[in-house]
Each structure stands twice: as structure tokens, then as C-alpha cells.
Amino acid sequence: MSVPATEPVAAVTGVRGGDLFEVVDGRMSDAEVGRAVWAVLRGTGADVEDRGSGNITARIGGLRLDVRTRPLADTGPDTLDPVVPSPERRRVLLTASGPVSEEARSVFDRVVRTLVRKGRCYTDAEIDSIVRAMPLVARYSGPEPALSDWALVFRDHYVENSIGFLLGMERAGIDRDWIFALSKGDRTLHRDRVHAWFLERGYRSDVLDNSVINGTADEAARARALGVSERVDEFIRRAHEAGRKVLVVDDGGLLAQGSGARDRGAARIDAAVELTVSGLKRIAEAPGELAVPVLNVARSRLKTMLGYNEIADSCVRRLRAILPGEKFIGRRVLVLGFGTLGARVAHLLRSLGCRVGVVDTDVLALITAAEHGFEAFPTAAEGLSAHTPFLVVGDTGELALTGEDLPLLPDGVHLAGFATKDFSLLSEGLSGLEATTVPSVGVRYTLPSGGTATLLGDGRSLNLFEYEGIPNRGYDAYRAGTLIAAKELCRNADAFTPGVHLDPVDRAIDDAGLFSAYYEEYLAGPRRPPAAPAPSGPAGAAGAAGR
């Protein structure tokens, strides 16, 4: 089980005077520190002295290993919902003095890795807060006997609602030992914590980066992805050897590589639930003949009517947060793409007071935009020539800005992409442009015109850049609908023909009553207690008569 390529957020390591030392910060108690250290030292033959309160001294040959802890002041919640009382935060100092043998260094490194993972891992109270924030997933995660014979490969963003979904799949019947989670590689805020918790839970966890799927990754990333793909294939083969079928819940990353193709043999999956429109495009272009059923949640009424509202909201909230010093009211914005997401983003920006222009190559989308009161243009060049936007938003999922458009960009413009490919001309390193990283904001490019343009985030979906994305309650219905679709598929897998199916998703969600449950849970408002009955007898009658 390898670790995603995320930055260590809570560890400092070094060598001082020939001795080793490491500092690890994290959410853990003294007792948890002690248990984590003992779990590594047990069976090593080390002479261990436990001084209590998470302070331990161990001698490994001639090496002395000291573990000391102290509490840290709280810095606010590390989850979307605050947990009361807040889980403890501690700093752990590890030092190793004396001759460092190969064996002793191995033990030291294992203690460090164990503490780093434990410190990053969500606490039980934090997990409970995530589960409570997804009541519809809880409602629809009742046991489904058919799932007991399935294994699951889940590829999506590493955010809190992914934890809630996988716990729902467990409650529905998937054995945690048969779950393989894969990150899409976005720099979500707590991806390292999600990964640590997945491993602690017993899942396999790794990264299959979208840049590899899209063909834009460098050689090192492609080599890493090859290793990950081999581990996934081995997981699929072992599941089949154990008499299990394999379900993929994905955005097309695995199917794009042919995991559902007829010629994959024992490494072929048995069924899939597709989550994104970009994934549908990848499936259509995948090598080999698709030999498995795929349920299309991406274009379901659930995602179209409910999911995209939450996605658009998260996009605009992240945009405002990453540009706290910018004025939005009254200023010009150009939105590239007026589809399911782009139309919602355009309306939200206009509701903030922005003067919004829209670009789309589809004439019906242009008509719709114009009849909703937006200035509408068939090309980015025309939109940029007519506008002087301080912000250009990409929502197309395709290359939305070309080299010919760059000279038309106003000096100082911000580029916000909510689909990975929109501004890939810049994010993939257009030669000849001077680039300056602006930490936690993006990359500022010097354009051929002499002006600058700042690509916000990392060139991927901005609402997932150092952010949790959508609130758990906001994605609760969508995750519940995905769970309903997964149950339907596994229960009736043999009845589905190979190919992509949409109608069964809408029917299953309707039959489950999810929309009514969503309305009752979030929109109907609190129930008023029934009025107390009027007192009986003469006093009651007199009171009624006097009103």
C-alpha cells in the first residue's frame, strides 16, 4: 500500500550531531502515541521503558530512542463540522542517539511512519461528525445481501464525503478488506488525512492521477501510474480467485484504461458506476470492446438537478476565498461554457453583481444565454475583444483558451478553471512564458503582450484546490443516489447488457424515494409540535367564548 504524493503536513526530520530526530504533530492522545510506538517496538527485542503520558525510552542495541510528547494549542477544526470537545492535538519529539545500525534506523523510521499516519488519521469523533452530516447515505445504506460477494474499487476525490460514502457501502455489505480507494490526484485540503484513515480502516489506498488518464503526465507520473494499475489488476484477480465480483465506482479512470474490456481476462472488472461526464467521454474512447454494464450516474436527473447546484456553489465560494482582496460587484467576467455547470456559475456570478459575458460554441447554448440576459459570444476571441474581464472562468471540459487568444487577455486577468482541460495550454507548460508561483493562489504568467495572467490553483478544478469542495450535506443526496445505483447494479448484474445505462439509474432512485427523502430532510422545514388540546369543562368553554 503506497502513499499518495502529498506534502508531509505534520513532520520535520533531520540529523543533528550524528543523532536522528523527528517532530510529528497530529490529532492523537498520549495513550494513542504509546500504543502506536509499542505496536512497532513489540517483537524487535528492544529494551523498553514506558514512563507514561506517551513518553517512552527504548534501547535497540547501542541506540537509545526517546519519544516525548506535549499538548498543542488547538487551531480550529480539521473537519467541515466542528467536533465538541475538540480532539487532542499533540507534538511528538523522537530522538535517536548512539550508533545507528541498519536495523535501528529501520525501527526509527517505522515508528515515525506509524506516528505520522496516526497523527493524520481522523479520530472516531471526527468520523462520527462526517457520518451525522450524511443522513441520506445512512438511510439508504441498509444491508444488501448481494453486496457480500463483491469487491469495490472506488476512484474519486479524497474529501470527507468520500469517507461517508465508503462507510455507507460497508454498512450495505461490502467487506472493508475488499475496498481499494484511489485518489484522482487533486490537491484537496485534507487528502493526506483521508488517505491515512483509509489505510487505518483496512482499505488499500493510492493515487491514479487524472493527468495520466488525460495523457498529460510526465514520465515519472506515468511510471507511478503503471505500478498503481498493476496493483489494482492484482486486487481484481485476487477478488475473482476468492469468488467475488468487482464493482468500480469511478469517473472513467479505470475504464479509460480498458478495465472493462473483453480481452482483460481475470483482470476485467464485472460492473461499474460512472460519476462524471468526462468519464463517459473516456469510456467511449477506451481501448477494447466494453464487456461490462456501466450505470450512468453522471447524466442522471439526480446529478443534473441537485448535484450541479452544489458543485457550482462550491466553485464560486472557492473563487471568492482564493481572491479575498478582489472586488467582484460591478466588474466584468467572461464565462467559457454555458452547459450544465457553466450556466449555474454564470447565474451565481451575476447574482453577486458581476457583469457576465458567456462564450459557447453550441448555438442553442448561446440562444439560452442571450435569452437569460447574458452577452453571448461564439468564440473566446470575440468575448475577449468585446469585454475587458478581470476574471475568465472555464467550464467546458475542453481546451477553452488557445495560443491565439493569449494576446487578447487583459493585463492582470485571473483564470479560474473548473474543468481540468480548459486552461491546460498554460497548466501544461506552454514554452516561452515566464511563470511565477504564487503560494496558495496559483501561477502568474508573463504573456507575450507583456501583461500578466494568473492561473488560479493548479490548473485543475479550482473548487478542489486546497479546499474540501462540497459540504457533506450538500453531496449527501448524490452519494446516497450513487449507493442506490450500486446496490441496483450488484443485485441485478446478470440482467444488464454490456454498455452504458441511464434509465435504470433514474428508475432506481425514483423507486427508492430519494427525492422525497431529500425534500423532507433538508427543505420541508422543522415540524411544529401539535397544538395542545383546549382544556375541557366550564373554564375551557368560557375561555373559548371570550376569544
Side-chain angles (χ1 to χ4, degrees):
M1 301 180 209
S2 57
V3 180
T6 61
E7 299 84 350
V9 296
V12 178
T13 188
V15 179
R16 179 180 296 165
D19 298 337
L20 303 173
F21 73 91
E22 184 106 23
V23 179
V24 178
D25 295 347
R27 297 255 181 214
M28 47 190 165
S29 65
D30 285 336
E32 288 171 325
V33 172
R35 286 195 294 270
V37 174
W38 272 102
V40 176
L41 296 180
R42 190 177 295 114
T44 64
D47 180 16
V48 182
E49 177 189 355
D50 191 338
R51 303 193 304 280
S53 300
N55 297 304
I56 295 171
T57 297
R59 296 187 182 276
I60 308 164
L63 184 78
R64 171 176 169 144
L65 170 64
D66 284 294
V67 180
R68 286 166 284 182
T69 74
R70 69 175 179 84
L72 289 175
D74 209 338
T75 56
D78 289 327
T79 46
L80 291 175
D81 284 347
V83 175
V84 181
S86 180
E88 296 180 59
R89 293 184 71 244
R90 303 200 75 76
R91 171 160 293 170
V92 185
L93 173 63
L94 300 96
T95 57
S97 54
V100 182
S101 65
E102 185 175 339
E103 177 191 4
R105 178 61 193 249
S106 174
V107 172
F108 180 85
D109 290 345
R110 281 188 286 132
V111 170
V112 170
R113 286 196 301 269
T114 301
L115 287 172
V116 168
R117 184 198 292 184
K118 185 61 184 175
R120 289 174 171 172
C121 196
Y122 288 95
T123 67
D124 290 344
E126 288 174 322
I127 293 297
D128 288 344
S129 78
I130 294 171
V131 172
R132 285 195 303 272
M134 302 180 74
L136 296 178
V137 169
R139 176 184 296 205
Y140 289 102
S141 61
E144 169 53 61
L147 290 182
S148 62
D149 295 326
W150 286 75
L152 173 65
V153 181
F154 171 79
R155 181 172 177 269
D156 207 332
H157 308 296
Y158 270 25
V159 291
E160 288 183 15
N161 65 66
S162 293
I163 293 176
F165 173 75
L166 288 180
L167 284 173
M169 291 297 288
E170 278 192 54
R171 292 192 297 271
I174 296 285
D175 189 323
R176 72 174 74 174
D177 293 333
W178 288 101
I179 295 177
F180 200 139
L182 292 165
S183 167
K184 292 168 63 174
D186 293 286
R187 287 176 57 180
T188 49
L189 183 62
H190 292 135
R191 62 198 183 280
D192 57 332
R193 300 199 75 201
V194 175
H195 170 69
W197 188 85
F198 283 167
L199 293 179
E200 197 80 0
R201 186 70 178 173
Y203 305 166
R204 292 160 180 80
S205 178
D206 219 311
V207 177
L208 185 56
D209 199 284
N210 254 11
S211 64
V212 177
I213 308 303
N214 293 332
T216 60
D218 59 24
E219 186 175 343
R222 289 195 298 272
R224 175 180 171 77
L226 182 61
V228 173
S229 296
E230 289 173 352
R231 287 190 285 278
V232 173
D233 286 350
E234 178 60 22
F235 174 81
I236 295 169
R237 284 191 289 265
R238 289 199 309 104
H240 288 154
E241 290 168 2
R244 294 177 178 271
K245 294 181 179 179
V246 178
L247 170 70
V248 164
V249 176
D250 191 19
D251 76 335
L254 291 173
L255 290 168
Q257 296 183 316
S259 291
R262 190 171 301 280
D263 60 359
R264 286 298 289 264
R268 187 180 72 206
I269 64 170
D270 297 280
V273 175
E274 178 52 49
L275 301 177
T276 67
V277 173
S278 60
L280 293 173
K281 295 177 182 177
R282 296 187 191 116
I283 291 171
E285 298 167 356
E289 178 189 357
L290 184 64
V292 302
V294 179
L295 290 196
N296 178 1
V297 173
R299 294 195 183 277
S300 66
R301 287 190 295 122
L302 170 67
K303 186 165 187 180
T304 301
M305 301 301 294
L306 300 184
Y308 276 106
N309 291 335
E310 299 291 345
I311 295 170
D313 174 64
S314 77
C315 290
V316 175
R317 284 190 294 110
R318 183 60 182 130
L319 180 58
R320 297 296 303 275
I322 208 170
L323 293 174
E326 279 292 353
K327 174 179 171 60
F328 278 70
I329 298 172
R331 300 186 73 188
R332 291 190 180 276
V333 175
L334 191 64
V335 175
L336 308 180
F338 199 74
T340 310
L341 177 59
R344 287 165 167 80
V345 169
H347 280 283
L348 286 172
L349 288 169
R350 185 164 67 180
S351 73
L352 293 175
C354 297
R355 292 184 287 169
V356 181
V358 168
V359 173
D360 204 297
T361 57
D362 181 79
V363 67
L364 288 179
L366 285 181
I367 292 170
T368 303
E371 293 188 346
H372 279 83
F374 296 99
E375 291 186 77
F377 307 96
T379 67
E382 291 183 55
L384 289 168
S385 297
H387 274 252
T388 307
F390 88 101
L391 171 68
V392 178
V393 174
D395 295 292
T396 70
E398 304 294 340
L399 185 65
L401 205 62
T402 68
E404 289 74 24
D405 300 323
L406 291 184
L408 301 174
L409 291 174
D411 184 25
V413 69
H414 300 289
L415 306 176
F418 296 116
T420 300
K421 292 185 69 173
D422 282 77
F423 301 124
S424 56
L425 176 74
L426 295 175
S427 62
E428 293 173 15
L430 182 67
S431 62
L433 296 185
E434 179 184 341
T436 303
T437 299
V438 184
S440 298
V441 175
V443 180
R444 181 167 296 155
Y445 294 92
T446 300
L447 302 174
S449 61
T452 64
T454 300
L455 178 61
L456 302 177
D458 56 358
R460 298 173 182 248
S461 300
L462 183 62
N463 61 320
L464 294 164
F465 173 72
E466 297 179 7
Y467 196 58
E468 262 290 316
I470 300 169
N472 295 330
R473 292 174 184 83
Y475 231 38
D476 184 24
Y478 179 66
R479 289 303 196 195
T482 303
L483 200 156
I484 290 167
K487 283 185 172 184
E488 173 72 13
L489 183 53
C490 294
R491 188 167 48 235
N492 300 301
D494 293 339
F496 286 103
T497 58
V500 179
H501 303 267
L502 173 59
D503 289 345
V505 177
D506 288 334
R507 283 199 302 270
I509 288 171
D510 285 344
D511 292 345
L514 176 59
F515 292 122
S516 294
Y518 172 79
Y519 176 79
E520 292 296 325
E521 181 65 42
Y522 292 107
L523 307 176
R527 295 285 185 269
R528 294 184 178 182
S536 59
R547 285 197 291 273

